[in-house]
Amino acid sequence: MGKETCLLTQQTNHINMKAMQAVIRAVDFAVPSRRMSNEEFSAFLDTSDEWIRSHTGIGYRHIAEPSVATSDLAVEACKKVLEKTGIAPEEVDLILIATATGDFLGFPSVSCIVQDRIGAKKAAAMDVVAGCTGFIYALETARNFILGGGARNILVAGAELLSRVIDWKDRNTCVLFGDGAGAVLVSADSSDGNRGILHSVLRSDGSGARLLERTEGGTRFPFKDGVIDPARTYLKMDGRQVYNFAVKVVSEGIVDLMESNHITTDDLSWIVPHQANVRIIEAAAKRSKIPLSKFFINIEEYANTSAASIPIALSEMCSKGLLKAGDLILTFGFGAGLTYGGNLIRW
Ligand code: UT7
């Protein structure tokens, strides 16, 4: 081997040794323009702005028009992200849409519809069904595809149209949810070994599967000709039990994620929790002895958008100048499944 070739080999090895990271290059979101206030519920339900605000922190939610489906919101958010990064749709290798409210009952996935509509001709596409924790699961899936060398550019979105699956006569659930989508582009990047999605914790507890469910329409209780009970197709929830579960896993999970990465609250710029109920966030902050000011909260405007809540929050934080390159942040979510988990991200 000649001297020149030898040098080249050494350089190549040096380049390869730089750690590949899964970096979030841009974030954006889409919500329907129709903004529904708490007061509007009082016209047809025994509830009030006072009850909803004091029990949940919710003031408004955005509700899609009848012609809109989940993929429409996901497409809008994904297109905005691609425009921001200048990445062409053909450069996207994988589309991961976290959703529990697909356009169809599993056939086809929302991500395939998005793939076609944005023109991502070379992309694989799959949905991630992990309830409100879906975006966190999808981010960790993206990180592993990138570290494994299977993809370089991945669109990850959380997209939900919960207004279509709630019972508008059930005050226990319908006041809690909203529609929306948030998306990020995760790319392979070896320029800075400290940036990107650094670590995640993903967990599940299927013993609580039936605490949050849509009973009818799946293979357990399929639709039968002529006997559709709408109430059994809507989302129903044991709110109190989910509340208790959430406070426990959020408070313990955040501390676990910090301890396993040898960091303290002082190292974190923000904790970005799933926006289900401001009281869950307050109780988890108190239990984990983390100041509430570390938690980003925007539930007042959007209510619970399930898998979309964290990317919508990240996008709002960016546009408000609250997230800077180099900031260390921690996401944490919980939801149907039951599932829970979090990501540690160097922005
Ligand atoms: O994203 C993950 C999924 N969802 C969640 O994380 C939600 C978790 N759970 C919660 O956030 C809370 O448990 C709720 C907000 C759902 C309920 O709040 P709560 O303080 O736990 O209320 P509760 O269920 O203990 O109900 C208290 C009372 C009940 O009346 P009675 O039985 O005491 O007479 C409810 O019927 O509040 C009543 N209530 C309402 N009253 C007015 C329930 N919903 C309403 C309402 N307006 N919208």
Side-chain angles (χ1 to χ4, degrees):
M1 193 186 287
K3 210 176 176 184
E4 269 181 35
T5 325
C6 186
L7 266 178
L8 192 66
T9 312
Q10 277 173 3
Q11 272 175 3
T12 311
N13 281 343
H14 178 65
I15 289 164
N16 286 341
M17 277 165 63
K18 273 196 174 177
M20 183 62 74
Q21 294 289 104
V23 170
I24 295 178
R25 291 182 55 178
V27 56
D28 217 314
F29 77 111
V31 291
S33 54
R34 161 96 172 95
R35 182 178 190 246
M36 182 182 180
S37 69
N38 290 340
E39 282 88 356
E40 291 182 56
F41 282 100
S42 313
F44 59 94
L45 271 182
D46 181 14
T47 189
S48 63
D49 177 55
E50 196 283 323
W51 192 96
I52 301 169
R53 279 187 189 272
S54 60
H55 284 74
T56 67
I58 295 167
Y60 303 90
R61 69 285 296 139
H62 290 248
I63 304 292
E65 295 298 325
S67 61
V68 170
T70 305
S71 64
D72 299 318
L73 297 175
V75 164
E76 193 182 332
C78 288
K79 278 186 173 170
K80 285 181 181 173
V81 161
L82 287 182
E83 271 165 32
K84 272 186 177 166
T85 57
I87 291 283
E90 296 79 8
E91 294 175 79
V92 175
D93 304 306
L94 175 62
I95 299 169
L96 298 170
I97 310 281
T99 186
T101 51
D103 295 23
F104 299 96
L105 283 174
F107 297 86
S109 64
V110 174
S111 43
C112 276
I113 299 169
V114 172
Q115 176 274 327
D116 180 48
R117 297 234 339 250
I118 66 172
K121 293 191 170 61
K122 297 181 187 153
M126 61 179 173
D127 288 357
V128 175
V129 184
C132 304
T133 325
F135 182 77
I136 286 163
Y137 268 65
L139 269 192
E140 177 60 11
T141 307
R143 181 174 88 103
N144 280 285
F145 264 93
I146 283 179
L147 299 191
R152 292 193 64 79
N153 292 308
I154 306 178
L155 272 171
V156 180
E160 305 278 14
L161 220 150
L162 290 143
S163 67
R164 209 53 60 73
V165 303
I166 50 176
D167 183 349
W168 285 88
K169 295 193 198 87
D170 177 11
R171 68 176 185 175
N172 291 294
T173 49
C174 73
V175 301
L176 304 175
F177 296 99
D179 302 333
V184 297
L185 183 77
V186 182
S187 292
D189 189 336
S190 55
S191 62
D192 179 351
N194 290 319
R195 263 188 88 198
I197 306 157
L198 306 177
H199 184 221
S200 304
V201 167
L202 307 181
R203 297 276 187 273
S204 60
D205 178 4
S207 70
R210 302 209 59 183
L211 296 178
L212 239 168
E213 74 171 19
R214 292 177 66 197
T215 309
E216 207 158 289
T219 55
R220 178 64 64 198
F221 301 108
F223 294 128
K224 292 190 192 82
D225 278 354
V227 264
I228 293 177
D229 175 1
R232 282 170 62 84
T233 67
Y234 297 135
L235 180 67
K236 71 175 169 54
M237 174 172 66
D238 185 331
R240 186 39 68 176
Q241 291 239 53
V242 177
Y243 183 99
N244 293 339
F245 161 80
V247 172
K248 181 178 186 313
V249 298
V250 175
S251 51
E252 291 175 3
I254 289 172
V255 173
D256 275 358
L257 199 44
M258 287 197 301
E259 281 179 1
S260 56
N261 285 281
H262 311 290
I263 58 167
T264 67
T265 320
D266 293 341
D267 299 308
L268 288 174
S269 300
W270 287 103
I271 296 170
V272 188
H274 168 47
Q275 311 282 319
N277 185 332
V278 76
R279 283 166 52 222
I280 292 175
I281 300 171
E282 286 166 356
K286 197 169 168 198
R287 253 169 96 149
S288 55
K289 299 189 175 61
I290 298 171
L292 188 60
S293 57
K294 278 275 169 187
F295 291 77
F296 180 78
I297 301 171
N298 68 351
I299 190 171
E300 209 250 339
E301 177 62 30
Y302 302 106
N304 181 348
T305 56
S306 191
S309 87
I310 287 176
I312 290 175
L314 292 173
S315 185
E316 275 215 318
M317 292 168 77
C318 275
S319 39
K320 288 182 171 160
L322 299 175
L323 266 183
K324 298 178 295 298
D327 280 351
L328 191 62
I329 62 167
L330 193 154
T331 64
F332 210 88
F334 57 90
L338 299 168
T339 57
Y340 55 107
N343 319 108
L344 185 67
I345 304 166
R346 175 80 64 187
W347 199 254

